[in-house]
Amino acid sequence: MHSLSQEIKAFSRNNLRKQCTRVTTLTGKKIIETWKDARIHVVEEVQPSEGVGCGYVQDLSLDLQVGVIKPWLLLGSQDAAHDLDVLKKHKVTHILNVAYGVENAFFSEFTYKSISILDLPETNILSYFPECFEFIEQAKMKDGVVLVHCNAGVSRAAAIVIGFLMNSEEISFTSAFALVKNARPSICPNSGFVEQLRTYQESKESNKYDKIPQLESGNSS
């Protein structure tokens, strides 16, 4: 039996099995990390041209969870908007589609409004508020039930619903966000939308305060 000291003396780096780590970045690039001379070496792994790589594990399961914000106001994903059983279950009559590249599925069954919005922080989400809010209000006035959806029902549609609540209920961004988050926990508007919603709150508060002197002036006459 070899002693520990003999094993140490017989040790050779050349006998070690070479190790490497394959990493897929968020952009889909595949790289290989190896150690050499006490340093890490990174090289890009060339992939066969069989389609585009993906920087994340794809979740192919359907997202049919619908957030009930109000009895007449729902929030969901494109999966829910394309499932007739789900739509019938929630008594949907109107569908506001703010996804990009998602077709409407049941024209004979529901009243649709489609607005293609990009889920990018620099997208001016506030510019879409008036026509979105008008459609939601029309559905409510007709005693309908409106589903607001984008692709994932996480960022764009959530921002629209939050903004609608801030406007119609005259509540803060924090309160509106909490209401929507409670109904659909997966929501996560992108950072640009959140900043714009906070600006939207500030503008509404400013307009409210501007009206106070006018009211006081009217009362004194």
Side-chain angles (χ1 to χ4, degrees), residues 124-168:
N124 183 2
I125 194 73
L126 301 184
S127 67
Y128 299 101
F129 279 6
E131 54 184 326
C132 288
F133 294 177
E134 182 181 3
F135 182 77
I136 296 172
E137 287 288 358
Q138 287 177 351
K140 180 185 177 184
M141 289 174 62
K142 294 177 180 179
D143 294 324
V145 175
V146 58
L147 170 70
V148 183
H149 81 88
C150 49
N151 294 75
V154 168
S155 182
R156 285 162 290 186
I160 293 296
V161 172
I162 290 170
F164 176 80
L165 292 175
M166 292 172 65
N167 182 64
S168 62

Coordinates of all heavy atoms in Angstrom, one line a residue, residues 124-168:
N124 N -42.8 54.3 -24.8 CA -43.7 55.3 -24.1 C -45.0 54.7 -23.8 O -46.0 54.8 -24.6 CB -43.8 56.6 -24.9 CG -44.7 57.6 -24.2 OD1 -45.1 57.4 -23.0 ND2 -44.9 58.8 -24.8
I125 N -45.1 53.9 -22.7 CA -46.4 53.2 -22.4 C -47.5 54.2 -22.1 O -48.7 53.9 -22.3 CB -46.1 52.3 -21.2 CG1 -47.3 51.3 -21.0 CG2 -45.9 53.0 -19.9 CD1 -47.3 50.2 -22.0
L126 N -47.2 55.4 -21.6 CA -48.2 56.3 -21.2 C -49.0 56.8 -22.4 O -50.2 57.2 -22.3 CB -47.6 57.6 -20.5 CG -46.8 57.3 -19.2 CD1 -46.4 58.6 -18.6 CD2 -47.6 56.5 -18.2
S127 N -48.4 56.8 -23.6 CA -49.0 57.3 -24.8 C -50.2 56.4 -25.2 O -51.0 56.8 -26.0 CB -48.0 57.4 -26.0 OG -47.5 56.1 -26.3
Y128 N -50.2 55.1 -24.7 CA -51.2 54.2 -25.1 C -52.4 54.2 -24.1 O -53.4 53.5 -24.3 CB -50.6 52.8 -25.2 CG -49.6 52.6 -26.2 CD1 -48.2 52.6 -25.9 CD2 -49.9 52.5 -27.6 CE1 -47.2 52.5 -26.9 CE2 -48.9 52.3 -28.6 CZ -47.6 52.3 -28.2 OH -46.6 52.2 -29.1
F129 N -52.2 54.9 -23.0 CA -53.2 54.9 -21.9 C -54.6 55.3 -22.4 O -55.6 54.6 -22.1 CB -52.8 55.7 -20.8 CG -51.8 55.0 -19.8 CD1 -51.3 53.8 -20.1 CD2 -51.4 55.6 -18.6 CE1 -50.4 53.1 -19.3 CE2 -50.6 55.0 -17.7 CZ -50.1 53.7 -18.1
P130 N -54.7 56.5 -23.1 CA -56.1 56.9 -23.5 C -56.9 55.9 -24.2 O -58.1 55.7 -23.8 CB -55.8 58.2 -24.3 CG -54.5 58.7 -23.8 CD -53.7 57.4 -23.5
E131 N -56.4 55.3 -25.3 CA -57.2 54.4 -26.0 C -57.4 53.1 -25.3 O -58.5 52.5 -25.4 CB -56.6 54.1 -27.4 CG -55.1 53.7 -27.4 CD -54.6 53.5 -28.8 OE1 -55.4 53.2 -29.7 OE2 -53.4 53.8 -29.0
C132 N -56.5 52.6 -24.5 CA -56.7 51.4 -23.7 C -57.8 51.7 -22.6 O -58.6 50.8 -22.4 CB -55.4 51.0 -23.0 SG -54.1 50.4 -24.1
F133 N -57.7 52.8 -21.9 CA -58.6 53.1 -20.9 C -60.0 53.3 -21.5 O -61.0 52.8 -20.8 CB -58.2 54.4 -20.2 CG -56.9 54.3 -19.4 CD1 -56.4 55.4 -18.7 CD2 -56.2 53.1 -19.3 CE1 -55.2 55.4 -18.0 CE2 -55.0 53.1 -18.6 CZ -54.5 54.2 -18.0
E134 N -60.1 53.9 -22.6 CA -61.4 54.1 -23.3 C -62.1 52.7 -23.6 O -63.3 52.5 -23.3 CB -61.3 54.9 -24.6 CG -62.6 55.2 -25.2 CD -62.4 55.9 -26.5 OE1 -61.3 56.2 -26.9 OE2 -63.5 56.3 -27.2
F135 N -61.3 51.8 -24.1 CA -61.8 50.4 -24.4 C -62.3 49.7 -23.2 O -63.4 49.1 -23.1 CB -60.7 49.6 -25.1 CG -61.2 48.2 -25.5 CD1 -62.0 48.1 -26.7 CD2 -60.8 47.1 -24.8 CE1 -62.4 46.8 -27.1 CE2 -61.3 45.9 -25.2 CZ -62.1 45.7 -26.3
I136 N -61.5 49.8 -22.1 CA -61.9 49.1 -20.8 C -63.1 49.8 -20.3 O -64.0 49.0 -19.8 CB -60.7 49.3 -19.8 CG1 -59.5 48.5 -20.3 CG2 -61.2 48.7 -18.4 CD1 -58.2 48.7 -19.4
E137 N -63.3 51.1 -20.3 CA -64.4 51.8 -19.8 C -65.7 51.4 -20.6 O -66.8 51.2 -20.1 CB -64.2 53.3 -19.8 CG -63.3 53.8 -18.8 CD -63.9 53.7 -17.3 OE1 -65.0 53.3 -17.2 OE2 -63.2 54.1 -16.4
Q138 N -65.5 51.3 -21.9 CA -66.6 50.9 -22.8 C -67.1 49.5 -22.4 O -68.4 49.3 -22.4 CB -66.2 51.0 -24.3 CG -66.1 52.4 -24.8 CD -65.6 52.4 -26.2 OE1 -65.2 51.4 -26.8 NE2 -65.6 53.6 -26.8
A139 N -66.2 48.6 -22.2 CA -66.6 47.2 -21.8 C -67.4 47.2 -20.5 O -68.4 46.6 -20.3 CB -65.3 46.4 -21.7
K140 N -66.9 48.1 -19.5 CA -67.5 48.2 -18.2 C -69.0 48.7 -18.4 O -69.9 48.2 -17.8 CB -66.7 49.0 -17.3 CG -67.3 49.2 -15.9 CD -66.5 50.2 -15.1 CE -67.1 50.4 -13.7 NZ -66.4 51.4 -12.9
M141 N -69.1 49.8 -19.2 CA -70.4 50.4 -19.4 C -71.4 49.5 -20.0 O -72.6 49.6 -19.8 CB -70.2 51.7 -20.2 CG -69.5 52.8 -19.5 SD -69.2 54.2 -20.6 CE -70.9 54.7 -21.1
K142 N -70.9 48.5 -20.8 CA -71.8 47.5 -21.4 C -72.0 46.3 -20.6 O -72.5 45.3 -21.1 CB -71.2 47.2 -22.8 CG -71.2 48.3 -23.8 CD -70.6 47.9 -25.1 CE -70.5 49.1 -26.1 NZ -69.9 48.7 -27.4
D143 N -71.6 46.4 -19.3 CA -71.7 45.3 -18.4 C -70.9 44.1 -18.9 O -71.3 42.9 -18.7 CB -73.2 44.9 -18.1 CG -74.0 46.0 -17.4 OD1 -73.4 46.6 -16.5 OD2 -75.1 46.1 -17.7
G144 N -69.8 44.3 -19.5 CA -69.0 43.3 -20.1 C -67.8 42.9 -19.1 O -67.7 43.5 -18.0
V145 N -67.0 42.0 -19.5 CA -65.8 41.6 -18.8 C -64.7 41.6 -19.8 O -64.7 41.0 -20.8 CB -66.0 40.1 -18.2 CG1 -64.7 39.7 -17.6 CG2 -67.1 40.1 -17.2
V146 N -63.7 42.4 -19.4 CA -62.5 42.6 -20.4 C -61.3 42.0 -19.9 O -60.9 42.1 -18.7 CB -62.3 44.2 -20.6 CG1 -62.0 44.9 -19.3 CG2 -61.2 44.4 -21.6
L147 N -60.6 41.2 -20.7 CA -59.3 40.6 -20.4 C -58.3 41.5 -21.1 O -58.3 41.7 -22.3 CB -59.3 39.2 -21.0 CG -57.9 38.5 -21.0 CD1 -57.4 38.3 -19.5 CD2 -57.8 37.3 -21.8
V148 N -57.3 41.9 -20.3 CA -56.1 42.6 -20.9 C -55.0 41.7 -20.9 O -54.7 41.1 -19.9 CB -55.8 43.9 -20.0 CG1 -54.6 44.7 -20.6 CG2 -57.0 44.8 -19.8
H149 N -54.4 41.5 -22.1 CA -53.3 40.6 -22.2 C -52.2 41.1 -23.1 O -52.4 41.9 -24.0 CB -53.7 39.2 -22.6 CG -53.9 39.1 -24.1 ND1 -52.9 38.7 -25.0 CD2 -55.0 39.3 -24.9 CE1 -53.3 38.7 -26.2 NE2 -54.6 39.0 -26.2
C150 N -50.9 40.6 -22.9 CA -49.8 40.8 -23.8 C -49.3 39.4 -24.1 O -50.1 38.5 -24.3 CB -48.8 41.7 -23.2 SG -48.2 41.3 -21.5
N151 N -48.0 39.3 -24.2 CA -47.5 37.9 -24.5 C -47.5 37.1 -23.2 O -48.1 36.0 -23.2 CB -46.1 38.0 -25.1 CG -46.1 38.7 -26.5 OD1 -46.2 39.9 -26.6 ND2 -45.9 37.9 -27.5
A152 N -46.8 37.6 -22.2 CA -46.7 36.8 -21.0 C -47.7 37.3 -19.9 O -47.8 36.6 -18.8 CB -45.3 36.9 -20.4
G153 N -48.3 38.5 -20.1 CA -49.2 39.0 -19.0 C -48.4 39.4 -17.8 O -49.0 39.4 -16.7
V154 N -47.2 39.9 -18.0 CA -46.3 40.2 -16.9 C -45.9 41.7 -16.9 O -45.9 42.4 -15.9 CB -45.1 39.4 -17.0 CG1 -44.0 39.9 -16.0 CG2 -45.4 37.9 -16.7
S155 N -45.6 42.3 -18.1 CA -45.1 43.6 -18.1 C -46.1 44.7 -18.7 O -46.6 45.5 -18.1 CB -43.8 43.7 -18.8 OG -43.2 44.9 -18.8
R156 N -46.3 44.5 -20.0 CA -47.1 45.5 -20.8 C -48.6 45.6 -20.3 O -49.1 46.6 -19.9 CB -47.1 45.2 -22.3 CG -45.8 45.6 -22.9 CD -45.6 44.9 -24.3 NE -45.4 43.5 -24.1 CZ -45.1 42.6 -25.1 NH1 -45.1 43.0 -26.3 NH2 -44.9 41.3 -24.8
A157 N -49.2 44.4 -20.3 CA -50.6 44.4 -19.9 C -50.7 44.8 -18.4 O -51.7 45.5 -18.0 CB -51.2 43.0 -20.1
A158 N -49.8 44.4 -17.6 CA -49.8 44.7 -16.2 C -49.7 46.3 -16.0 O -50.4 46.9 -15.2 CB -48.7 44.0 -15.4
A159 N -48.8 46.9 -16.8 CA -48.6 48.3 -16.7 C -49.9 49.1 -17.1 O -50.3 50.1 -16.5 CB -47.5 48.8 -17.6
I160 N -50.6 48.5 -18.1 CA -51.8 49.2 -18.6 C -52.9 49.1 -17.5 O -53.6 50.1 -17.2 CB -52.3 48.5 -19.9 CG1 -51.4 48.7 -21.1 CG2 -53.8 48.9 -20.2 CD1 -51.3 50.1 -21.5
V161 N -53.0 47.9 -16.9 CA -54.0 47.7 -15.8 C -53.7 48.6 -14.6 O -54.6 49.2 -14.0 CB -54.1 46.2 -15.4 CG1 -55.0 46.1 -14.2 CG2 -54.7 45.4 -16.6
I162 N -52.4 48.6 -14.2 CA -52.0 49.5 -13.1 C -52.4 50.9 -13.4 O -52.9 51.6 -12.5 CB -50.5 49.3 -12.8 CG1 -50.2 47.9 -12.2 CG2 -50.0 50.4 -11.8 CD1 -48.8 47.6 -12.2
G163 N -52.0 51.4 -14.6 CA -52.3 52.8 -14.9 C -53.8 53.0 -14.9 O -54.2 54.1 -14.5
F164 N -54.6 52.1 -15.4 CA -56.0 52.2 -15.4 C -56.6 52.4 -14.0 O -57.4 53.3 -13.7 CB -56.7 51.0 -16.1 CG -58.2 51.1 -16.1 CD1 -58.9 51.9 -17.0 CD2 -58.9 50.4 -15.1 CE1 -60.3 51.9 -16.9 CE2 -60.3 50.4 -15.1 CZ -61.0 51.2 -16.0
L165 N -56.1 51.6 -13.1 CA -56.6 51.7 -11.7 C -56.2 53.0 -11.1 O -56.9 53.6 -10.3 CB -56.0 50.5 -10.9 CG -56.5 49.1 -11.2 CD1 -55.8 48.1 -10.4 CD2 -58.0 49.0 -10.9
M166 N -54.9 53.5 -11.4 CA -54.5 54.8 -10.9 C -55.4 55.9 -11.3 O -55.7 56.8 -10.6 CB -53.0 55.0 -11.3 CG -52.0 54.1 -10.7 SD -50.4 54.3 -11.4 CE -50.0 56.0 -11.0
N167 N -55.8 55.8 -12.6 CA -56.7 56.8 -13.2 C -58.1 56.7 -12.7 O -58.7 57.7 -12.2 CB -56.6 56.7 -14.7 CG -57.4 57.8 -15.4 OD1 -57.1 59.0 -15.3 ND2 -58.5 57.4 -16.1
S168 N -58.7 55.5 -12.8 CA -60.1 55.4 -12.5 C -60.4 55.4 -11.0 O -61.5 55.9 -10.5 CB -60.7 54.1 -13.1 OG -60.0 52.9 -12.5

